[in-house]
């Protein structure tokens, strides 16, 4: 509609300019009037277009934040579960290191902590919604830039760091598993006959010590940071959606 009005008044201004039945003063006055009308129509058209785009962005922003809040809940639960795994693993490492230093090897403790030699965990992050927004180049729809920066920091720094450390720990688990496979001996009844000898091997103690250091100094802290960041972003989203 605005385009038609602009064309109409542009034609009218042109006809006034070409007219031979009007004085110069009248022509100038009428042409200026048409120009003012055209400028006003253009301004209104631009304003309406920007308003429509902004309303569309707000709708998309609300849809994204509503869905991303659900992703954060799952992410926080996954991080909490992963942290619990590493905390229990650290307990197991501490136990076997104490045996390596001369402590008693207890069958119940072996059953409780033997998982550390064969188990690892993965975050399984919920990134599809974030990656979709990122790949579409629509970060601008999130008006709160502090919120946007926190979301990017969570996905690009914290989640990536957790995944990297998970992979590093998995490599240590493979080393532990290989050491046991290469050195374990079984009785005729299928029981391990040299468990204490294995636990006291220097190479196994070195891997356990390194694994424990990674968990204590890096993995636990980055999980705490991630859980805290999820809560912070959730609170920010709640304010935005009010």
């Amino acid at each position: 509609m605005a385009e038609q009005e602009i064309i109409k008044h542009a034609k009218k201004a042109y006809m006034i300019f070409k007219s031979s039945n009007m004085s110069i003063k009248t022509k100038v006055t009428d042409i200026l009037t048409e120009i003012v009308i055209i400028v006003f129509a253009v301004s209104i058209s631009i304003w309406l277009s920007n308003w429509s785009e902004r309303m569309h962005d707000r709708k998309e922003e609300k849809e994204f934040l509503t869905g991303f809040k659900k992703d954060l809940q799952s992410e926080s639960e996954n991080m909490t579960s992963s942290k619990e795994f590493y905390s229990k693993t650290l307990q197991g490492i501490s136990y076997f290191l104490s045996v390596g230093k001369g402590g008693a090897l207890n069958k119940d403790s072996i059953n409780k902590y033997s998982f550390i030699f064969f188990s690892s965990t993965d975050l399984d992050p919920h990134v599809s919604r974030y990656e979709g927004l990122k790949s579409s180049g629509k970060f601008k729809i999130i008006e709160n830039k502090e919120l946007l920066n926190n979301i990017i920091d969570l996905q690009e720094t914290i989640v990536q760091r957790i995944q990297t450390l998970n992979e590093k720990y998995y490599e240590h688990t493979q080393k532990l598993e290989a050491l046991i496979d290469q050195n374990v001996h079984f009785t005729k009844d299928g029981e391990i006959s040299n468990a204490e000898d294995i636990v006291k091997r220097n190479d196994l103690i070195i891997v356990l010590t390194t694994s424990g250091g990674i968990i204590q100094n890096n993995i636990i802290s980055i999980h705490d940071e991630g859980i805290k960041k999820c809560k912070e972003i959730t609170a920010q989203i709640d304010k935005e959606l009010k």
Side-chain angles (χ1 to χ4, degrees):
M1 188 59 129
E3 289 83 355
Q4 293 177 353
E5 288 297 313
I6 292 169
I7 292 172
K8 183 176 97 173
H9 287 284
K11 287 181 177 179
K12 188 173 180 180
Y14 178 74
M15 294 300 296
I16 293 171
F17 175 76
K18 296 290 288 183
S19 175
S20 57
N21 300 322
M22 301 172 67
S23 66
I24 295 296
K25 182 179 179 181
T26 302
K27 277 187 177 184
V28 170
T29 301
D30 289 353
I31 289 174
L32 287 176
T33 300
E34 297 303 321
I35 290 173
V36 169
I37 293 172
I38 290 171
V39 170
F40 179 76
V42 169
S43 299
I44 289 294
S45 178
I46 292 173
W47 181 85
L48 287 173
S49 177
N50 290 340
W51 179 83
S52 177
E53 182 180 356
R54 187 173 184 277
M55 291 301 100
H56 180 70
D57 286 349
R58 296 293 65 73
K59 181 174 180 291
E60 283 194 316
E61 179 190 35
K62 183 177 180 180
E63 290 174 353
F64 171 79
L65 293 178
T66 300
F68 191 71
K69 182 180 175 182
K70 295 178 181 178
D71 293 341
L72 285 173
Q73 178 64 33
S74 298
E75 206 83 284
S76 181
E77 290 173 358
N78 287 349
M79 289 181 186
T80 300
S81 176
S82 180
K83 179 188 172 183
E84 289 174 356
F85 166 82
Y86 281 116
S87 295
K88 291 177 182 178
T89 298
L90 195 58
Q91 292 173 11
I93 290 175
S94 296
Y95 168 72
F96 285 113
L97 285 177
S98 70
V99 173
K101 294 176 181 178
L105 188 63
N106 180 275
K107 186 175 181 180
D108 290 338
S109 296
I110 292 175
N111 292 334
K112 182 178 180 180
Y113 294 124
S114 60
F115 75 91
I116 73 167
F117 298 108
F118 313 101
S119 300
S120 60
T121 186
D122 190 16
L123 186 61
D124 189 23
H126 293 68
V127 297
S128 59
R129 199 184 312 274
Y130 169 80
E131 289 296 336
L133 188 71
K134 177 183 175 181
S135 62
S136 66
K138 290 186 175 182
F139 277 157
K140 68 181 181 66
I141 69 171
I142 301 178
E143 285 194 321
N144 186 329
K145 298 312 173 188
E146 181 183 358
L147 170 58
L148 175 59
N149 289 334
N150 279 333
I151 291 173
I152 293 174
D153 183 45
L154 173 67
Q155 298 295 337
E156 302 291 345
T157 303
I158 297 174
V159 170
Q160 291 294 328
R161 178 64 174 159
I162 290 175
Q163 289 181 298
T164 298
L165 289 170
N166 281 344
E167 292 172 2
K168 185 177 287 293
Y169 179 76
Y170 175 67
E171 292 173 2
H172 282 261
T173 303
Q174 288 182 308
K175 291 178 182 179
L176 289 172
E177 188 173 350
L179 284 171
I180 292 173
D181 287 343
Q182 292 164 11
N183 296 283
V184 69
H185 296 149
F186 294 97
T187 65
K188 291 180 179 180
D189 297 328
E191 297 287 334
I192 297 176
S193 62
N194 63 332
E196 190 166 343
D197 292 337
I198 292 175
V199 174
K200 291 183 177 181
R201 289 179 60 90
N202 287 334
D203 47 7
L204 188 134
I205 289 174
I206 290 171
V207 177
L208 282 178
T209 302
T210 305
S211 298
I214 292 173
I215 294 173
Q216 192 165 24
N217 299 323
N218 302 103
I219 293 179
I220 296 294
S221 60
I222 194 65
H223 277 75
D224 284 338
E225 186 177 347
I227 294 167
K228 179 181 177 182
K229 183 67 73 173
C230 285
K231 291 179 180 178
E232 181 181 346
I233 295 173
T234 298
Q236 287 181 306
I237 289 176
D238 286 339
K239 289 182 180 179
E240 292 297 316
L241 294 178
K242 281 184 179 180

